[in-house]
PDB file of all heavy atoms in Angstrom:
ATOM      1  N   TYR Q 153     -20.435  31.872  -9.682  1.00 89.00           N
ATOM      2  CA  TYR Q 153     -21.303  32.856  -9.117  1.00 89.00           C
ATOM      3  C   TYR Q 153     -20.722  34.257  -9.312  1.00 89.00           C
ATOM      4  O   TYR Q 153     -21.499  35.231  -9.580  1.00 89.00           O
ATOM      5  CB  TYR Q 153     -21.498  32.580  -7.644  1.00 89.00           C
ATOM      6  CG  TYR Q 153     -22.324  33.516  -6.849  1.00 89.00           C
ATOM      7  CD1 TYR Q 153     -23.610  33.842  -7.242  1.00 89.00           C
ATOM      8  CD2 TYR Q 153     -21.743  34.182  -5.744  1.00 89.00           C
ATOM      9  CE1 TYR Q 153     -24.352  34.737  -6.426  1.00 89.00           C
ATOM     10  CE2 TYR Q 153     -22.492  35.055  -4.963  1.00 89.00           C
ATOM     11  CZ  TYR Q 153     -23.777  35.311  -5.350  1.00 89.00           C
ATOM     12  OH  TYR Q 153     -24.555  36.174  -4.628  1.00 89.00           O
ATOM     13  N   SER Q 154     -19.446  34.417  -9.248  1.00 89.00           N
ATOM     14  CA  SER Q 154     -18.801  35.704  -9.377  1.00 89.00           C
ATOM     15  C   SER Q 154     -18.857  36.318 -10.800  1.00 89.00           C
ATOM     16  O   SER Q 154     -18.591  37.420 -11.051  1.00 89.00           O
ATOM     17  CB  SER Q 154     -17.362  35.620  -8.970  1.00 89.00           C
ATOM     18  OG  SER Q 154     -16.724  34.601  -9.666  1.00 89.00           O
ATOM     19  N   ASN Q 155     -19.243  35.419 -11.769  1.00 92.00           N
ATOM     20  CA  ASN Q 155     -19.316  35.930 -13.124  1.00 92.00           C
ATOM     21  C   ASN Q 155     -20.709  36.385 -13.617  1.00 92.00           C
ATOM     22  O   ASN Q 155     -20.817  36.765 -14.774  1.00 92.00           O
ATOM     23  CB  ASN Q 155     -18.870  34.714 -14.112  1.00 92.00           C
ATOM     24  CG  ASN Q 155     -17.422  34.381 -14.108  1.00 92.00           C
ATOM     25  OD1 ASN Q 155     -16.654  35.109 -13.361  1.00 92.00           O
ATOM     26  ND2 ASN Q 155     -17.015  33.343 -14.713  1.00 92.00           N
ATOM     27  N   VAL Q 156     -21.596  36.509 -12.697  1.00 94.00           N
ATOM     28  CA  VAL Q 156     -22.865  36.971 -13.022  1.00 94.00           C
ATOM     29  C   VAL Q 156     -23.306  38.119 -12.102  1.00 94.00           C
ATOM     30  O   VAL Q 156     -22.743  38.341 -10.978  1.00 94.00           O
ATOM     31  CB  VAL Q 156     -24.020  35.888 -12.973  1.00 94.00           C
ATOM     32  CG1 VAL Q 156     -23.629  34.715 -13.902  1.00 94.00           C
ATOM     33  CG2 VAL Q 156     -24.241  35.452 -11.499  1.00 94.00           C
ATOM     34  N   MET Q 157     -24.254  38.890 -12.626  1.00 93.00           N
ATOM     35  CA  MET Q 157     -24.829  39.939 -11.750  1.00 93.00           C
ATOM     36  C   MET Q 157     -26.365  39.702 -11.854  1.00 93.00           C
ATOM     37  O   MET Q 157     -26.913  39.421 -12.968  1.00 93.00           O
ATOM     38  CB  MET Q 157     -24.455  41.338 -12.278  1.00 93.00           C
ATOM     39  CG  MET Q 157     -23.290  41.912 -11.647  1.00 93.00           C
ATOM     40  SD  MET Q 157     -22.981  43.570 -12.206  1.00 93.00           S
ATOM     41  CE  MET Q 157     -23.634  44.499 -10.809  1.00 93.00           C
ATOM     42  N   LEU Q 158     -26.980  39.994 -10.760  1.00 93.00           N
ATOM     43  CA  LEU Q 158     -28.429  39.863 -10.693  1.00 93.00           C
ATOM     44  C   LEU Q 158     -29.015  40.992 -11.491  1.00 93.00           C
ATOM     45  O   LEU Q 158     -28.558  42.132 -11.453  1.00 93.00           O
ATOM     46  CB  LEU Q 158     -28.833  39.967  -9.233  1.00 93.00           C
ATOM     47  CG  LEU Q 158     -30.319  39.711  -8.908  1.00 93.00           C
ATOM     48  CD1 LEU Q 158     -30.681  38.231  -9.223  1.00 93.00           C
ATOM     49  CD2 LEU Q 158     -30.508  39.946  -7.385  1.00 93.00           C
ATOM     50  N   VAL Q 159     -30.059  40.741 -12.205  1.00 94.00           N
ATOM     51  CA  VAL Q 159     -30.840  41.752 -12.936  1.00 94.00           C
ATOM     52  C   VAL Q 159     -32.043  42.146 -12.130  1.00 94.00           C
ATOM     53  O   VAL Q 159     -32.828  41.324 -11.806  1.00 94.00           O
ATOM     54  CB  VAL Q 159     -31.234  41.321 -14.374  1.00 94.00           C
ATOM     55  CG1 VAL Q 159     -32.123  42.378 -15.010  1.00 94.00           C
ATOM     56  CG2 VAL Q 159     -30.033  40.974 -15.194  1.00 94.00           C
ATOM     57  N   CYS Q 160     -32.174  43.417 -11.782  1.00 92.00           N
ATOM     58  CA  CYS Q 160     -33.255  43.919 -10.994  1.00 92.00           C
ATOM     59  C   CYS Q 160     -34.532  43.758 -11.810  1.00 92.00           C
ATOM     60  O   CYS Q 160     -34.583  44.041 -13.003  1.00 92.00           O
ATOM     61  CB  CYS Q 160     -33.089  45.364 -10.667  1.00 92.00           C
ATOM     62  SG  CYS Q 160     -34.474  46.175  -9.874  1.00 92.00           S
ATOM     63  N   ASN Q 161     -35.578  43.213 -11.197  1.00 86.00           N
ATOM     64  CA  ASN Q 161     -36.790  42.962 -11.958  1.00 86.00           C
ATOM     65  C   ASN Q 161     -37.660  44.279 -12.000  1.00 86.00           C
ATOM     66  O   ASN Q 161     -38.737  44.281 -12.568  1.00 86.00           O
ATOM     67  CB  ASN Q 161     -37.572  41.802 -11.369  1.00 86.00           C
ATOM     68  CG  ASN Q 161     -37.810  41.902  -9.867  1.00 86.00           C
ATOM     69  OD1 ASN Q 161     -37.658  42.945  -9.317  1.00 86.00           O
ATOM     70  ND2 ASN Q 161     -38.101  40.734  -9.270  1.00 86.00           N
ATOM     71  N   ARG Q 162     -37.211  45.352 -11.499  1.00 90.00           N
ATOM     72  CA  ARG Q 162     -37.930  46.598 -11.635  1.00 90.00           C
ATOM     73  C   ARG Q 162     -37.266  47.529 -12.667  1.00 90.00           C
ATOM     74  O   ARG Q 162     -37.931  48.056 -13.581  1.00 90.00           O
ATOM     75  CB  ARG Q 162     -38.039  47.341 -10.285  1.00 90.00           C
ATOM     76  CG  ARG Q 162     -38.901  46.523  -9.391  1.00 90.00           C
ATOM     77  CD  ARG Q 162     -39.310  47.421  -8.184  1.00 90.00           C
ATOM     78  NE  ARG Q 162     -39.954  46.612  -7.164  1.00 90.00           N
ATOM     79  CZ  ARG Q 162     -41.225  46.444  -7.069  1.00 90.00           C
ATOM     80  NH1 ARG Q 162     -42.032  46.947  -8.055  1.00 90.00           N
ATOM     81  NH2 ARG Q 162     -41.714  45.702  -6.102  1.00 90.00           N
ATOM     82  N   CYS Q 163     -35.939  47.735 -12.512  1.00 94.00           N
ATOM     83  CA  CYS Q 163     -35.328  48.663 -13.472  1.00 94.00           C
ATOM     84  C   CYS Q 163     -34.666  47.883 -14.606  1.00 94.00           C
ATOM     85  O   CYS Q 163     -34.034  48.542 -15.503  1.00 94.00           O
ATOM     86  CB  CYS Q 163     -34.268  49.575 -12.752  1.00 94.00           C
ATOM     87  SG  CYS Q 163     -32.984  48.697 -11.969  1.00 94.00           S
ATOM     88  N   GLU Q 164     -34.692  46.565 -14.591  1.00 92.00           N
ATOM     89  CA  GLU Q 164     -34.143  45.722 -15.716  1.00 92.00           C
ATOM     90  C   GLU Q 164     -32.669  45.919 -15.901  1.00 92.00           C
ATOM     91  O   GLU Q 164     -32.191  45.621 -17.004  1.00 92.00           O
ATOM     92  CB  GLU Q 164     -34.888  46.065 -16.982  1.00 92.00           C
ATOM     93  CG  GLU Q 164     -36.425  45.767 -16.918  1.00 92.00           C
ATOM     94  CD  GLU Q 164     -36.695  44.202 -17.047  1.00 92.00           C
ATOM     95  OE1 GLU Q 164     -36.066  43.648 -17.890  1.00 92.00           O
ATOM     96  OE2 GLU Q 164     -37.484  43.746 -16.286  1.00 92.00           O
ATOM     97  N   LYS Q 165     -31.975  46.440 -14.908  1.00 93.00           N
ATOM     98  CA  LYS Q 165     -30.568  46.636 -15.111  1.00 93.00           C
ATOM     99  C   LYS Q 165     -29.801  45.677 -14.215  1.00 93.00           C
ATOM    100  O   LYS Q 165     -30.226  45.327 -13.071  1.00 93.00           O
ATOM    101  CB  LYS Q 165     -30.216  48.079 -14.738  1.00 93.00           C
ATOM    102  CG  LYS Q 165     -30.712  49.036 -15.801  1.00 93.00           C
ATOM    103  CD  LYS Q 165     -29.996  50.327 -15.789  1.00 93.00           C
ATOM    104  CE  LYS Q 165     -30.465  51.269 -16.785  1.00 93.00           C
ATOM    105  NZ  LYS Q 165     -31.417  52.294 -16.285  1.00 93.00           N
ATOM    106  N   PRO Q 166     -28.555  45.323 -14.619  1.00 93.00           N
ATOM    107  CA  PRO Q 166     -27.785  44.510 -13.716  1.00 93.00           C
ATOM    108  C   PRO Q 166     -27.394  45.347 -12.489  1.00 93.00           C
ATOM    109  O   PRO Q 166     -27.102  46.428 -12.583  1.00 93.00           O
ATOM    110  CB  PRO Q 166     -26.513  44.225 -14.539  1.00 93.00           C
ATOM    111  CG  PRO Q 166     -26.783  44.548 -15.927  1.00 93.00           C
ATOM    112  CD  PRO Q 166     -27.842  45.529 -15.945  1.00 93.00           C
ATOM    113  N   THR Q 167     -27.531  44.735 -11.328  1.00 92.00           N
ATOM    114  CA  THR Q 167     -27.379  45.501 -10.154  1.00 92.00           C
ATOM    115  C   THR Q 167     -26.817  44.731  -8.965  1.00 92.00           C
ATOM    116  O   THR Q 167     -26.664  43.515  -9.072  1.00 92.00           O
ATOM    117  CB  THR Q 167     -28.721  46.168  -9.709  1.00 92.00           C
ATOM    118  OG1 THR Q 167     -28.578  47.031  -8.656  1.00 92.00           O
ATOM    119  CG2 THR Q 167     -29.675  45.059  -9.309  1.00 92.00           C
TER     120      THR Q 167
END
Side-chain angles (χ1 to χ4, degrees):
Y153 176 57
S154 54
N155 287 357
V156 302
M157 269 183 101
L158 188 64
V159 174
C160 172
N161 51 18
R162 293 194 190 269
C163 61
E164 296 285 316
K165 294 202 177 96
T167 186

